[in-house]
Amino acid sequence: MRQQGINAFITPSTDPHCGEYVPRRWQSREWISGFTGSAGTAVVTLNDAALWTDNRYFLQAEGQLKDTEYQLMRLGLEGTPSVQDWLRDKLQCDDKVGVDGWCYTIDGINELRQALNPWGIQVMSVGDPYNEIWTDRPTIPDNAVEIHPMEYAGETARSKIGRVREAIKAKRADATVISMLDEVAWTLNLRGTDVDYNPVFVSYLFISTDRAILFVNPQKLSEEVVRYLDFEGVETMDYDQIAPFINSYKGALILQPEKTNVNIQNALKQGVLMHGDCPVTTMKIMKNETEIRGYHSAMLKDGIAMVKWMKWVVPAVQQGGQTELSLEKQLLAYRAEQPLYKGESFDTIMGYGYHGAIVHYEPTPDTDIPVLPKGLLLIDSGGQYLDGTTDITRTIPLGPLTFEEKRDYTLVLRGFINLGRAVFPRGTYGSQLDVLAREPMWKYGMNYLHGTGHGVGSYLNVHEGPHQFRMNYMPTPLLPGMTITDEPGIYIAGSHGVRHENTMLVVNARLRSYDHHTPPLPHDEGAGQPADGLTFGPYYQFEHLTLCPIFTTPIIKQMMQPEEIEWFNAYQQMVCEALTPHLDPETADWLREITKPI
Amino acid sequence: MRQQGINAFITPSTDPHCGEYVPRRWQSREWISGFTGSAGTAVVTLNDAALWTDNRYFLQAEGQLKDTEYQLMRLGLEGTPSVQDWLRDKLQCDDKVGVDGWCYTIDGINELRQALNPWGIQVMSVGDPYNEIWTDRPTIPDNAVEIHPMEYAGETARSKIGRVREAIKAKRADATVISMLDEVAWTLNLRGTDVDYNPVFVSYLFISTDRAILFVNPQKLSEEVVRYLDFEGVETMDYDQIAPFINSYKGALILQPEKTNVNIQNALKQGVLMHGDCPVTTMKIMKNETEIRGYHSAMLKDGIAMVKWMKWVVPAVQQGGQTELSLEKQLLAYRAEQPLYKGESFDTIMGYGYHGAIVHYEPTPDTDIPVLPKGLLLIDSGGQYLDGTTDITRTIPLGPLTFEEKRDYTLVLRGFINLGRAVFPRGTYGSQLDVLAREPMWKYGMNYLHGTGHGVGSYLNVHEGPHQFRMNYMPTPLLPGMTITDEPGIYIAGSHGVRHENTMLVVNARLRSYDHHTPPLPHDEGAGQPADGLTFGPYYQFEHLTLCPIFTTPIIKQMMQPEEIEWFNAYQQMVCEALTPHLDPETADWLREITKPI
């Protein structure tokens, strides 16, 4: 930093493609801080160091930063300064803050400048310092790229590129650069293995009204893939040619400022710069019929694996000798038996007892603990199958439970049910529904500091946006074809955690009978204003894609309302009927017993 | 318009004080269009005329605009152009749009200019054309101003002005102009009669760090009021001196752009202009203990009047000869018996049968219909009492009901209860809770296109913001001391309407027992981030201020959940106990019968 004349350097947890999970090469924030969570920002000045992360990782970060120079900054808590405020305090007028422009978004650097420039502090893109100081830094992966067949994708790359071109033209632009790896993979029907859990590959995709160019290390492309790309009308250039290419581009280039690194924007010298949303984002979240059929298939297989594991786990724990890691290993084995299985969709969260209260706890040999036949085990996991991605959480009663464990189990279940059985008119977005999952526990003074749900990709990233269930304002209406999880929780530090999670699909609602129903007002038909959700329909609801029972023994039935019980019993019954034909008789018996109505 | 060289003129429904209800002098939009609803914008070009209003007034406006040149523009419906879009279509480059800068906000004119200037259309403040064309235009009222005594206000004007000064200093400004009439009235503990239903008076209040000047017609001030103002440290100047005074002001003046007319801003020539929220807005909505005591007193009186009327109305209708207006007259008579009663808090909505489906129907001799002993009567009304303002809606079963009437009655009641018994952590705002009132009816494909609740003033305007229950994003957290109504509805055009409404107070929550409750996470205490509502508390709930039973005969009990029934019975019981000591034995018996548990 002294050589470069900068007084502070910011290392975010992202990469040139603004990813949540990033290839090891760009895990510089983990390398410089030792904190391994998926979200965090490390800031180093000449005298101080601090790391910001969110509530999912507070406990984990406390542990990993202990005895380091890093001060932990808990995002979202009152009194926690923002990175900008902290820098303003630590630095002086004429000081300089450095970032790597490949790993910082256009929006990100603009926000920094807006906050710091008025105080005389400059923000500069100084290149990637980890090239020098991180001596054993991993290279950019050159793993092979695979074609994602039409039988799972449901739409050709050529057709998707055509739709992107329509969107570009509608905005009166000439071209765009797609940086997000899942958006490139989705558009081209290609998959890779460059990032843990996310089947993507490092690349940029340039699409103009007459060209489509994939910027990628050519070693990653087999002859078959090269022929395929040619057939779909896609040229290829080397990954590091993106900046020179943009440099010489003369058209109107539209970039999404929160999803594009600032060096891409800075490379544009001769063309016209425009800002706008990437059209692929909204195309990708509306699943086509083939993808929906794939989810059903993947969820069936995932349910079979989960049921086998759930039947196995309680007696196994009773026999003794199990740990969080041994239980995880067995679940992976059951999933691996399933056809088209490609791996986990994220690092399994297997939290026994007090580990369940660490929202994103992932057991390692260092943290692994024995699992005993009492209390609760929280298991949040998912699989990548060629035909779909799954994400499921169940909380397993392993033996005697305390009153608090049962009560929290029931309160979370009520929230899960109330959100999961919601019906809502066109235009409604997730932030407006989020409270349905929280209200039952709020009445007991309980809350959770994470969102309640996220989109799930189709053999792609397990986190897919922008739609979500959150208290925060995020006005993306939920529309038929979108996937979203429903996952409220309660976490009692040092004691236990509960979370129930299904992956769901937005579908047209089956409304309750409204006999002799007169339309409410003459302007009923087609009314709607997406921004505020005030419409007379059509109405939507959620189809629960996840096929896996929920244990009933911890439920305190008196705390539940009849409508909730009715929904719950129907869900359990549906799971039982869907899975039974695919189970051996013993497992089918077990499932029938487990899913008996409460 | 031709004389002034303008091609279009916009007449909003507001006045120089950005009020919702305005003195007759400024009801130019009603005069020019014939539409009498409280919200609407008339736009006249040399060839066309159009009127925009919201769903509360769709049916009414359809009726009043029939056979006029005006085209009705239904705000919020798909396909309805905004005023700007419509003007862009109707006008050409170099055309000019005129507005009266006294009746147009800073934000409003900026928005117009942003939308129209790129198309070469200019927006000009052209003075008030109604001075010339509206020959019998009413004058600015010179009604007397009254002191609102400390026993109802609870804080002196001097103290409030002191708090405004603190807020001005905190923003590094020197002064502000308060334009909203209820904010002037609240700050000075003065009331007037210039506006129907709102006890306010036409004036501006200038507050600087060392001066407070009320700009008001001096004829409105008695010697007592002049002495009072002098005692509280407030000077007075004539109403029309506001512009010359601002013209010569040299300090930093902070104005709220959405609540200040643009001529006030344009008057500032020598000072520094700043934009920011008016501090009085948030001070006023946090009721002090005296005001809360006043609400309790006013609600008791209002409940007594309502119960007397409810006991009277059903037999009166059975006897025959009643109309909507005759029922309204009797209710007013019962309210007028109550101590400290000053008048209605808004024009009574008394909608029988299909009139109940017109959200803001106010009967007039032209629309009045006979009320028969069958079907539903929707009555939304409120009183102004010196000690508080009330707002209540009840739907009255007058005899045999259809299945649909009962079902809608029950669905609205469920929404009313679910929102009304909500518990929520600090930081939660109304838009996040709104869905609780809608979800039960959404399951039947029903919705209502209005907000679910608004703040209520303390012997002031019945609509008080900015907090509210709405689907639209409005991130003002609900905090103890705020009042808010809970008023979902269902409206079946041509048939019937149902709405239930109570006025409520935000209070600290009584949480359900959570035995042996461990704090959820170590950073529990004082956590909180108002913007997204994700906190661990403290928790709040609503105290229902309104003391009036809800008829139980239309309720389809099987459609309700036990928790809802439990809450409802407890509310009815509370009302019975509170009102009984103040009722004659016969009315008390009637109330006991009506409030029996379902």
Side-chain angles (χ1 to χ4, degrees):
Chain A
M1 284 165 53
R2 285 203 182 88
Q3 280 171 19
Q4 298 244 16
I6 59 173
N7 309 80
F9 188 81
I10 307 179
T11 308
S13 59
T14 190
D15 62 12
H17 305 282
C18 312
E20 182 185 358
Y21 291 91
V22 304
R24 290 214 52 81
R25 176 175 183 77
W26 285 293
Q27 296 181 5
S28 349
R29 193 260 305 138
E30 177 174 337
W31 182 81
I32 195 82
S33 73
F35 166 63
T36 61
S38 74
T41 301
V43 183
V44 175
T45 70
L46 294 174
N47 302 308
D48 295 282
L51 183 123
W52 280 255
T53 190
D54 62 60
N55 62 81
R56 293 175 298 172
Y57 294 112
F58 289 165
L59 296 182
Q60 176 182 336
E62 273 167 31
Q64 293 180 331
L65 297 181
K66 209 155 84 179
D67 305 324
T68 74
E69 280 180 70
Y70 281 93
Q71 192 186 349
L72 175 59
M73 298 295 187
R74 295 177 182 84
L75 277 172
L77 292 196
E78 224 165 68
T80 299
S82 64
V83 170
Q84 291 94 311
D85 287 347
W86 187 80
L87 282 171
R88 207 161 53 194
D89 280 355
K90 295 291 177 189
L91 301 184
Q92 296 175 341
C93 191
D94 294 330
D95 277 358
K96 293 185 177 58
V97 175
V99 300
D100 171 12
W102 285 111
C103 290
Y104 229 87
T105 62
I106 299 166
D107 267 1
I109 208 162
N110 283 345
E111 268 171 40
L112 271 182
R113 286 184 171 142
Q114 260 176 8
L116 296 177
N117 287 359
W119 304 79
I121 301 165
Q122 300 307 310
V123 181
M124 309 162 55
S125 174
V126 294
D128 185 345
Y130 295 100
N131 279 335
E132 282 181 55
I133 61 176
W134 188 357
T135 47
D136 55 345
R137 183 176 190 179
T139 54
I140 300 178
D142 56 3
N143 307 354
V145 168
E146 288 186 356
I147 298 167
H148 189 54
M150 266 296 283
E151 63 183 296
Y152 307 126
E155 181 182 7
T156 63
R158 184 178 288 277
S159 162
K160 292 176 180 178
I161 291 167
R163 288 205 280 149
V164 171
R165 287 189 172 130
E166 289 307 312
I168 292 170
K169 282 182 210 159
K171 288 179 181 164
R172 301 179 188 183
D174 300 313
T176 189
V177 173
I178 302 172
S179 303
M180 300 278 288
L181 299 185
D182 62 333
E183 297 186 345
V184 176
W186 180 85
T187 308
L188 298 182
N189 293 338
L190 292 177
R191 296 294 186 269
T193 59
D194 292 353
V195 178
D196 289 347
Y197 312 116
N198 296 347
V200 296
F201 57 99
V202 175
S203 58
Y204 295 96
L205 178 58
F206 170 90
I207 297 179
S208 70
T209 46
D210 56 355
R211 293 179 79 180
I213 309 171
L214 179 64
F215 290 86
V216 65
N217 178 346
Q219 291 183 303
K220 301 169 79 73
L221 307 183
S222 66
E223 268 183 49
E224 185 200 359
V225 171
V226 171
R227 270 199 309 275
Y228 161 81
L229 285 171
D230 186 51
F231 179 78
E232 298 289 333
V234 181
E235 307 163 58
T236 60
M237 293 180 74
D238 205 333
Y239 180 68
D240 55 17
Q241 290 305 301
I242 183 74
F245 177 83
I246 298 299
N247 202 281
S248 63
Y249 184 67
K250 294 192 175 64
L253 183 71
I254 190 161
L255 297 176
Q256 181 160 6
E258 74 261 39
K259 285 188 182 177
T260 311
N261 71 61
V262 71
N263 279 9
I264 296 280
Q265 169 166 312
N266 291 346
L268 187 73
K269 300 293 182 196
Q270 308 177 55
V272 175
L273 175 67
M274 297 173 70
H275 283 171
D277 289 343
C278 175
V280 172
T281 312
T282 42
M283 288 162 59
K284 177 167 57 67
I285 58 179
M286 306 290 291
K287 308 306 178 193
N288 63 41
E289 281 179 28
T290 306
E291 290 170 319
I292 291 172
R293 208 163 44 235
Y295 279 109
H296 285 132
S297 162
M299 293 288 174
L300 184 65
K301 294 179 284 185
D302 210 60
I304 293 166
M306 279 294 294
V307 160
K308 284 183 179 175
W309 181 81
M310 284 164 79
K311 172 171 176 290
W312 168 85
V313 68
V314 180
V317 167
Q318 271 165 357
Q319 280 176 20
Q322 299 292 343
T323 70
E324 293 166 332
L325 282 176
S326 72
L327 298 182
E328 176 176 341
K329 199 176 150 196
Q330 183 60 51
L331 175 59
L332 293 189
Y334 283 129
R335 277 216 174 92
E337 289 173 2
Q338 298 299 323
L340 309 184
Y341 179 72
K342 303 291 284 183
E344 295 175 277
S345 62
F346 57 97
D347 203 354
T348 295
I349 296 166
M350 179 78 74
Y352 174 59
Y354 64 94
H355 277 168
I358 304 172
V359 180
H360 270 212
Y361 169 79
E362 291 138 14
T364 65
D366 285 350
T367 66
D368 194 27
I369 53 173
V371 177
L372 307 177
K374 63 171 186 178
L376 296 171
L377 173 70
L378 191 157
I379 156 77
D380 186 350
S381 68
Q384 290 287 8
Y385 303 84
L386 268 186
D387 46 5
T389 303
T390 69
D391 186 0
I392 177 174
T393 308
R394 289 295 180 266
T395 304
I396 317 285
L398 294 172
L401 300 181
T402 64
F403 176 70
E404 289 74 27
E405 286 167 332
K406 290 184 192 174
R407 194 186 285 217
D408 294 341
Y409 191 96
T410 310
L411 285 176
V412 174
L413 185 62
R414 290 191 62 189
F416 166 84
I417 292 171
N418 278 309
L419 179 58
R421 71 186 198 95
V423 175
F424 51 93
R426 181 154 67 109
T428 307
Y429 43 88
S431 342
Q432 295 171 325
L433 297 177
D434 187 85
V435 67
L436 297 173
R438 296 180 193 267
E439 185 55 40
M441 65 176 73
W442 282 355
K443 289 197 163 64
Y444 290 79
M446 305 301 290
N447 201 3
Y448 51 95
L449 296 191
H450 58 73
T452 311
H454 56 81
V456 175
S458 170
Y459 184 39
L460 259 181
N461 296 2
V462 75
H463 287 168
E464 194 172 83
H467 62 296
Q468 51 187 358
F469 293 125
R470 282 200 170 272
M471 295 298 284
N472 312 48
Y473 183 61
M474 171 56 72
T476 307
L478 297 171
L479 295 170
M482 292 185 183
T483 56
I484 191 161
T485 64
D486 171 12
E487 47 179 319
I490 288 181
Y491 310 97
I492 307 297
S495 174
H496 63 277
V498 175
R499 185 161 67 250
H500 307 299
E501 176 190 20
N502 274 359
T503 301
M504 316 185 295
L505 178 71
V506 181
V507 296
N508 286 313
R510 273 189 316 230
L511 296 177
R512 296 196 175 193
S513 77
Y514 194 87
D515 301 333
H516 320 297
H517 174 205
T518 325
L521 275 184
H523 44 78
D524 181 11
E525 285 306 313
Q529 193 190 26
D532 63 13
L534 284 175
T535 73
F536 283 131
Y539 285 82
Y540 307 131
Q541 69 184 36
F542 303 109
E543 176 191 339
H544 285 248
L545 295 172
T546 300
L547 296 171
C548 179
I550 291 170
F551 278 100
T552 56
T553 48
I555 297 173
I556 302 174
K557 194 179 162 187
Q558 310 90 277
M559 287 176 65
M560 294 182 65
Q561 295 294 294
E563 285 189 347
E564 296 160 1
I565 293 169
E566 189 187 332
W567 183 93
F568 178 75
N569 285 335
Y571 173 73
Q572 297 277 91
Q573 190 57 36
M574 186 272 283
V575 168
C576 182
E577 284 167 15
L579 294 183
T580 295
H582 309 275
L583 300 174
D584 63 81
E586 197 190 317
T587 310
D589 285 349
W590 178 88
L591 179 61
R592 190 174 326 110
E593 191 61 32
I594 281 288
T595 55
K596 271 193 179 154
I598 60 167
Chain B
M1 283 165 55
R2 287 204 181 86
Q3 279 172 19
Q4 298 243 14
I6 59 173
N7 309 80
F9 188 81
I10 306 179
T11 309
S13 59
T14 190
D15 62 11
H17 305 282
C18 311
E20 180 184 0
Y21 292 92
V22 305
R24 289 214 54 82
R25 175 174 183 78
W26 284 294
Q27 295 180 8
S28 347
R29 194 261 304 138
E30 176 174 337
W31 182 81
I32 195 82
S33 72
F35 166 63
T36 60
S38 74
T41 301
V43 182
V44 176
T45 71
L46 295 174
N47 302 309
D48 296 282
L51 183 122
W52 281 255
T53 190
D54 62 61
N55 63 80
R56 291 176 300 173
Y57 294 112
F58 288 164
L59 295 181
Q60 176 181 336
E62 273 167 32
Q64 293 179 333
L65 298 181
K66 208 155 80 180
D67 305 323
T68 73
E69 282 180 70
Y70 281 93
Q71 191 186 349
L72 174 59
M73 299 293 187
R74 295 175 182 85
L75 277 173
L77 290 197
E78 224 166 69
T80 300
S82 65
V83 170
Q84 292 95 310
D85 287 346
W86 187 81
L87 282 171
R88 208 162 52 192
D89 280 355
K90 296 290 178 191
L91 300 184
Q92 297 174 341
C93 190
D94 293 332
D95 277 0
K96 293 185 177 60
V97 175
V99 300
D100 172 12
W102 285 111
C103 289
Y104 229 87
T105 63
I106 299 166
D107 268 359
I109 207 161
N110 284 344
E111 269 170 40
L112 272 183
R113 287 185 171 143
Q114 261 175 7
L116 297 177
N117 287 359
W119 304 79
I121 302 166
Q122 300 307 309
V123 181
M124 310 161 54
S125 174
V126 294
D128 186 345
Y130 295 101
N131 279 335
E132 281 180 55
I133 62 177
W134 186 359
T135 46
D136 56 345
R137 181 177 191 178
T139 54
I140 301 178
D142 57 3
N143 307 354
V145 168
E146 288 186 355
I147 298 167
H148 190 54
M150 266 295 283
E151 63 184 298
Y152 306 125
E155 180 182 6
T156 63
R158 185 179 285 279
S159 163
K160 292 175 180 178
I161 292 167
R163 288 205 280 148
V164 172
R165 286 186 172 134
E166 290 307 312
I168 292 170
K169 283 181 208 160
K171 289 179 181 164
R172 300 179 190 184
D174 300 314
T176 190
V177 172
I178 302 171
S179 303
M180 299 279 288
L181 300 186
D182 63 332
E183 297 186 345
V184 176
W186 179 86
T187 308
L188 298 182
N189 292 338
L190 292 177
R191 296 294 187 268
T193 58
D194 292 352
V195 178
D196 289 347
Y197 312 115
N198 295 346
V200 297
F201 56 99
V202 175
S203 58
Y204 295 97
L205 177 59
F206 169 91
I207 297 179
S208 70
T209 45
D210 56 357
R211 293 178 78 179
I213 309 172
L214 178 64
F215 291 86
V216 66
N217 176 348
Q219 289 182 304
K220 302 169 77 72
L221 308 182
S222 66
E223 267 184 50
E224 186 200 359
V225 171
V226 171
R227 269 199 310 275
Y228 161 80
L229 284 171
D230 186 52
F231 180 76
E232 297 290 332
V234 182
E235 308 162 58
T236 62
M237 292 179 74
D238 206 332
Y239 180 68
D240 57 16
Q241 290 306 299
I242 182 73
F245 177 82
I246 297 299
N247 202 281
S248 64
Y249 185 67
K250 294 191 176 66
L253 183 71
I254 190 161
L255 298 176
Q256 182 160 5
E258 75 261 39
K259 285 189 180 176
T260 310
N261 71 60
V262 71
N263 279 7
I264 296 282
Q265 170 166 311
N266 292 346
L268 188 72
K269 300 292 183 199
Q270 308 177 57
V272 174
L273 174 69
M274 296 173 70
H275 283 171
D277 289 344
C278 175
V280 172
T281 313
T282 42
M283 288 161 59
K284 176 164 61 65
I285 58 179
M286 306 291 292
K287 308 306 178 192
N288 62 42
E289 281 178 30
T290 305
E291 289 169 319
I292 291 171
R293 208 162 46 236
Y295 279 108
H296 284 132
S297 163
M299 293 289 172
L300 184 65
K301 293 180 286 187
D302 209 59
I304 293 166
M306 279 295 292
V307 160
K308 284 183 177 172
W309 180 81
M310 283 164 80
K311 173 173 176 287
W312 168 84
V313 70
V314 181
V317 167
Q318 271 165 356
Q319 280 175 21
Q322 299 290 343
T323 69
E324 293 167 333
L325 282 175
S326 72
L327 298 183
E328 176 176 340
K329 196 174 153 199
Q330 183 61 51
L331 175 58
L332 293 188
Y334 282 130
R335 275 217 175 90
E337 289 173 1
Q338 297 298 323
L340 309 183
Y341 178 72
K342 303 290 284 185
E344 294 176 277
S345 61
F346 55 96
D347 203 353
T348 294
I349 296 167
M350 180 80 73
Y352 174 58
Y354 64 94
H355 277 168
I358 304 172
V359 180
H360 270 214
Y361 170 79
E362 290 139 14
T364 65
D366 285 349
T367 65
D368 196 24
I369 53 173
V371 178
L372 307 176
K374 64 170 185 177
L376 296 172
L377 173 72
L378 191 156
I379 157 77
D380 186 351
S381 68
Q384 290 287 8
Y385 302 84
L386 268 185
D387 45 5
T389 302
T390 69
D391 186 0
I392 177 174
T393 307
R394 289 293 181 268
T395 304
I396 316 284
L398 294 172
L401 300 182
T402 64
F403 176 70
E404 289 74 25
E405 287 168 332
K406 288 184 193 175
R407 195 187 284 217
D408 295 341
Y409 191 96
T410 310
L411 285 176
V412 174
L413 184 62
R414 288 192 64 189
F416 166 85
I417 292 171
N418 277 310
L419 179 58
R421 71 187 197 95
V423 175
F424 51 93
R426 179 154 69 106
T428 308
Y429 43 89
S431 343
Q432 294 171 326
L433 297 177
D434 187 84
V435 66
L436 297 173
R438 296 181 194 266
E439 185 54 40
M441 66 177 71
W442 281 355
K443 290 200 162 65
Y444 290 79
M446 305 299 291
N447 201 4
Y448 50 94
L449 296 192
H450 58 72
T452 312
H454 55 81
V456 175
S458 171
Y459 184 41
L460 259 179
N461 296 4
V462 76
H463 288 169
E464 194 172 84
H467 63 295
Q468 51 188 353
F469 293 125
R470 280 198 172 273
M471 294 300 285
N472 310 48
Y473 183 62
M474 173 53 76
T476 308
L478 297 171
L479 295 171
M482 291 185 183
T483 56
I484 191 160
T485 65
D486 172 12
E487 46 178 319
I490 287 180
Y491 311 98
I492 307 296
S495 175
H496 63 276
V498 175
R499 189 162 64 248
H500 307 298
E501 176 191 20
N502 275 358
T503 301
M504 315 187 293
L505 178 70
V506 182
V507 296
N508 287 313
R510 271 188 318 228
L511 295 178
R512 296 197 173 193
S513 78
Y514 194 87
D515 301 334
H516 321 295
H517 173 207
T518 324
L521 275 184
H523 45 78
D524 181 11
E525 286 305 315
Q529 193 190 27
D532 64 11
L534 284 175
T535 73
F536 283 131
Y539 286 83
Y540 307 131
Q541 69 183 37
F542 303 110
E543 177 192 338
H544 285 247
L545 296 171
T546 300
L547 295 171
C548 179
I550 291 171
F551 278 101
T552 57
T553 49
I555 297 173
I556 302 175
K557 195 179 163 188
Q558 309 90 277
M559 289 177 62
M560 294 182 65
Q561 294 294 293
E563 286 189 349
E564 297 161 1
I565 294 170
E566 188 186 334
W567 184 94
F568 177 76
N569 286 334
Y571 174 73
Q572 297 277 90
Q573 190 55 37
M574 186 274 283
V575 168
C576 181
E577 283 168 15
L579 295 183
T580 296
H582 309 276
L583 299 175
D584 64 79
E586 196 189 319
T587 309
D589 284 348
W590 178 88
L591 179 61
R592 193 173 324 109
E593 193 60 30
I594 280 287
T595 55
K596 271 191 179 156
I598 60 166

